């Protein structure tokens, strides 16, 4: 049995998967905000409940925003900030009395979709989160690439490629630079662009709804978004050349992206034809727990 734990800013969710990848039980609880010891106790409680209910123990994988820094062994970049600078992986492993595996949420999404989701059977998969932020994860032959600095696939804080004059230097990003892909392709980035051009404050979901209803301003904003996403993904394809790209996060639910982005990206990709598949996710909100569970691949968990 595999157990996946997804630690979010508001809730912690745990699910148990059988050998075939079916979720056989799940539990959730509110994240004890700002409480490090409480967070460890909450995860231990959820895992204990699953194992008591199912009458067996499992491997445990943990997905969370942020990463274990290879340099220090401490958590970095987590939005549950009480975890930052702490040896959370070691403390949690001790609390659960077993070895654990950790990955960030974008990596869990990519792994979930690569193992038995929209990219099942593909050799190289790039999983993208387009939400409040922009992240990415790379899976090769059903194995996550973590990278020397634990940032493999993190394309969101690279600059928007092939920028036009109106896109330079681009919006200021919290990372300290300007013109990051995240500042164009996140939900807040789309909303800011729409407001800049039209003067109308709308969030990303409302822009998508209005575009679907035929509003010309919203259609224009999404068309700019699609060309920017095509440029960002063209950079990934030129470097990594994945078989399948899966779009997760709230903006990954915008249906028109899947037809329109590939219409734009040919202009930027260094290839005569582009066979790359751009796919919507299969597992939706469950990708966090599913991907975390699959951090223990077949052969390493029963
Ligand atoms: Zn940035």
């Amino acid at each position: 049995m595999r157990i996946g734990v997804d630690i979010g800013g508001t809730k912690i969710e745990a699910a148990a998967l059988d050998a075939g990848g079916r979720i056989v039980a799940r539990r959730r609880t509110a994240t004890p905000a700002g409480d490090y010891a409480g967070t460890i106790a909450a995860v231990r409680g959820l895992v204990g409940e699953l194992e008591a209910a199912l009458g067996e123990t499992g491997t445990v994988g943990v997905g969370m925003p942020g990463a274990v820094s290879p340099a220090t062994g401490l958590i970095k970049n987590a939005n549950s900030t009480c975890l930052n600078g702490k040896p959370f992986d070691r403390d949690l492993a001790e609390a659960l009395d077993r070895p654990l595996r950790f990955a960030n949420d974008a990596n869990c999404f990519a792994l979930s979709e690569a193992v038995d989701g929209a990219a099942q059977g593909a050799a190289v998969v790039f999983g993208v989160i387009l939400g409040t932020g922009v992240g990415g994860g790379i899976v090769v032959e059903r194995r996550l690439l973590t990278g020397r600095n634990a940032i493999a696939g993190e394309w969101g804080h690279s600059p928007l490629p092939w920028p036009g004059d109106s896109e330079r230097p681009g919006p200021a990003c919290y990372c300290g630079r300007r013109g990051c892909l995240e500042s164009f392709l996140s939900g807040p980035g789309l909303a800011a662009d729409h407001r800049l051009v039209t003067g109308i404050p709308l969030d990303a979901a409302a822009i998508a709804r209005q575009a679907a209803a035929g509003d010309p301003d919203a259609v224009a904003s999404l068309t700019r978004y699609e060309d920017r996403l095509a440029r960002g993904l063209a950079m990934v394809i030129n470097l990594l050349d994945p078989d399948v790209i899966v779009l997760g996060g709230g903006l990954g639910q915008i249906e028109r992206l899947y037809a329109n982005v590939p219409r734009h990206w040919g202009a930027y990709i260094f290839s005569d034809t582009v066979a790359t598949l751009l796919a919507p996710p299969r597992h939706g909100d469950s990708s966090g727990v599913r991907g975390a569970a699959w951090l223990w691949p077949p052969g390493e968990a029963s």
Side-chain angles (χ1 to χ4, degrees):
M1 175 173 77
R2 294 180 175 80
I3 293 174
V5 180
D6 182 14
I7 300 177
T10 57
K11 67 175 177 13
I12 301 174
E13 185 166 11
L17 272 60
D18 68 12
R22 283 175 296 273
I23 292 181
V24 290
R26 60 202 309 165
R27 297 284 189 277
R28 66 170 57 179
T29 187
T31 303
D35 181 355
Y36 181 70
T39 301
I40 288 175
V43 175
R44 188 179 52 198
L46 293 178
V47 171
E49 281 180 39
L50 287 174
E51 293 185 332
L54 297 168
E56 57 179 316
T57 59
T59 55
V60 177
V62 179
M64 53 182 278
V68 179
S69 165
T72 63
L74 307 175
I75 300 291
K76 63 176 179 181
N77 303 344
N79 64 357
S80 296
T81 51
C82 74
L83 306 183
N84 284 324
K86 296 280 191 356
F88 181 60
D89 58 333
R90 277 168 278 161
D91 288 343
L92 188 58
E94 192 171 303
L96 288 170
D97 194 26
R98 75 195 82 181
L100 302 179
R101 291 188 179 170
F102 279 76
N104 80 21
D105 49 352
N107 285 2
C108 287
F109 169 74
L111 187 58
S112 170
E113 293 297 332
V115 169
D116 60 359
Q120 183 173 12
V124 179
V125 178
F126 186 56
V128 177
I129 298 288
L130 299 171
T132 311
V134 171
I138 299 167
V139 177
V140 179
E141 306 287 3
R142 294 163 59 110
R143 291 255 175 183
L144 203 52
L145 273 186
T146 303
R148 182 65 182 84
N149 304 291
I151 58 165
E154 287 300 340
W155 66 318
H157 297 278
S158 303
L160 177 72
W162 300 281
D165 288 344
S166 68
E167 296 168 329
R168 274 191 299 255
C173 182
Y174 73 87
C175 74
R177 299 176 186 87
R178 301 189 71 101
C180 289
L181 278 167
E182 176 166 307
S183 64
F184 289 102
L185 299 181
S186 63
L190 171 59
D193 180 68
H194 185 77
R195 184 170 187 168
L196 188 71
V197 173
T198 66
I200 300 168
L202 285 181
D203 67 17
I207 294 167
R209 275 197 306 275
Q210 295 209 355
D215 175 73
D217 285 340
V219 168
S221 292
L222 271 191
T223 302
R224 284 192 303 281
Y225 182 88
E226 286 157 356
D227 188 66
R228 289 165 178 159
L229 179 55
R231 281 181 264 161
L233 293 176
M235 184 174 63
V236 173
I237 294 170
N238 283 340
L239 181 68
L240 182 67
D241 202 4
D243 297 277
V244 182
I245 297 172
V246 190
L247 302 180
L251 284 81
Q253 296 174 21
I254 302 175
E255 265 182 50
R256 53 175 276 165
L257 301 185
Y258 298 95
N260 291 347
V261 170
R263 290 196 188 113
H264 290 275
W265 70 19
Y268 307 108
I269 294 168
F270 187 60
S271 176
D272 53 350
T273 61
V274 182
T276 318
L277 179 66
L278 184 68
R282 183 180 297 169
H283 293 305
D285 288 345
S286 293
S287 65
V289 287
R290 297 183 65 86
W294 286 119
L295 292 171
W296 293 90
E300 296 184 55
S302 56

